[in-house]
Amino acid sequence: MAAYVGAQFAVIYMLIPAAETAPDEVSRRKSLIAGFKFYNPFTIAVLGIIVITGAMRLTDLKASMKFDYFARIGGPLELKLALAFLLIFIQTYITFGLAFRIGRQEEVAAHGDGDPFTVKQLNSMLRRIRAMAWFTIVLAAAIIWVSLTMVSRVVNAVPTASRISARIAAGAHRASSCLDPATSAACDDIA
């Protein structure tokens, strides 16, 4: 996930600003195309790895939790999967709907089969890429937050009533040992 979010920040703060410093429009387009040739497959591959490793971990978790699986993490899992699929759809739009088209249109124009994107069209696409990249960063943060809530539900497997009873019993034991004159010196630090 760090590699994915890092790639989004790289597009926002490195690739697009670096392309804007190019001396002319041809150089600008070449730098964008070169950057997107790495960005496009990298982000799709990283998302694929995230999905596969998450599914593997979830399968192990499901096997260990047996019938409690849906009761304990069903709701957060539904939310996480919905957010993850939304993230994948948006990244696919950025990659294939916007970034890939910039390079493809340049190839088409080089072969004489059409015109390259105008500066206005290219700027519009870059604004959408930047906005969608920010949105994917927010979605990634939301997915991580939901994942952490799932982990806390799995870690806190002991029912709440049992944990409360255990804490009350431990507190009562400490209180009774403080009343004993032989151990009361250790209780002065507690007060």
Side-chain angles (χ1 to χ4, degrees):
M1 191 60 93
Y4 175 75
V5 172
Q8 301 304 69
F9 278 119
V11 162
I12 294 168
Y13 289 112
M14 294 170 64
L15 178 61
I16 294 174
E20 290 171 355
T21 63
D24 57 21
E25 188 60 26
V26 174
S27 300
R28 176 182 178 219
R29 290 170 191 255
K30 284 182 181 179
S31 65
L32 285 170
I33 292 167
F36 286 135
K37 279 187 179 180
F38 173 78
Y39 171 82
N40 291 342
F42 180 77
T43 54
I44 296 297
V46 169
L47 280 179
I49 291 169
I50 291 169
V51 168
I52 290 169
T53 56
M56 289 172 24
R57 178 65 186 121
L58 195 59
T59 301
D60 295 340
L61 187 63
K62 185 177 178 183
S64 68
M65 293 175 74
K66 299 189 186 341
F67 295 110
D68 277 349
Y69 175 73
F70 289 108
R72 289 196 348 223
I73 65 170
L77 179 60
E78 289 174 5
L79 179 60
K80 180 182 175 183
L81 290 175
L83 292 173
F85 285 120
L86 182 61
L87 177 68
I88 292 167
F89 292 144
I90 292 172
Q91 185 59 49
T92 303
Y93 169 66
I94 293 170
T95 300
F96 296 113
L98 298 172
F100 179 75
R101 286 182 51 215
I102 294 170
R104 181 69 181 130
Q105 193 62 33
E106 289 295 314
E107 289 176 11
V108 167
H111 293 296
D113 295 333
D115 295 327
F117 287 124
T118 64
V119 173
K120 184 178 178 182
Q121 288 172 321
L122 185 61
N123 289 341
S124 173
M125 292 175 84
L126 292 176
R127 278 192 303 277
R128 284 182 277 163
I129 288 171
R130 183 179 280 134
M132 291 293 106
W134 275 114
F135 189 61
T136 60
I137 291 169
V138 171
L139 276 175
I143 291 167
I144 291 169
W145 180 78
V146 171
S147 297
L148 292 175
T149 63
M150 286 174 54
V151 168
S152 70
R153 286 178 182 225
V154 171
V155 170
N156 296 330
V158 180
T160 305
S162 299
R163 286 188 309 213
I164 292 171
S165 299
R167 287 183 183 163
I168 290 171
H173 175 70
R174 269 189 251 125
S176 66
S177 66
C178 287
L179 295 175
D180 183 8
T183 60
S184 64
C187 296
D188 292 337
D189 294 336
I190 296 173

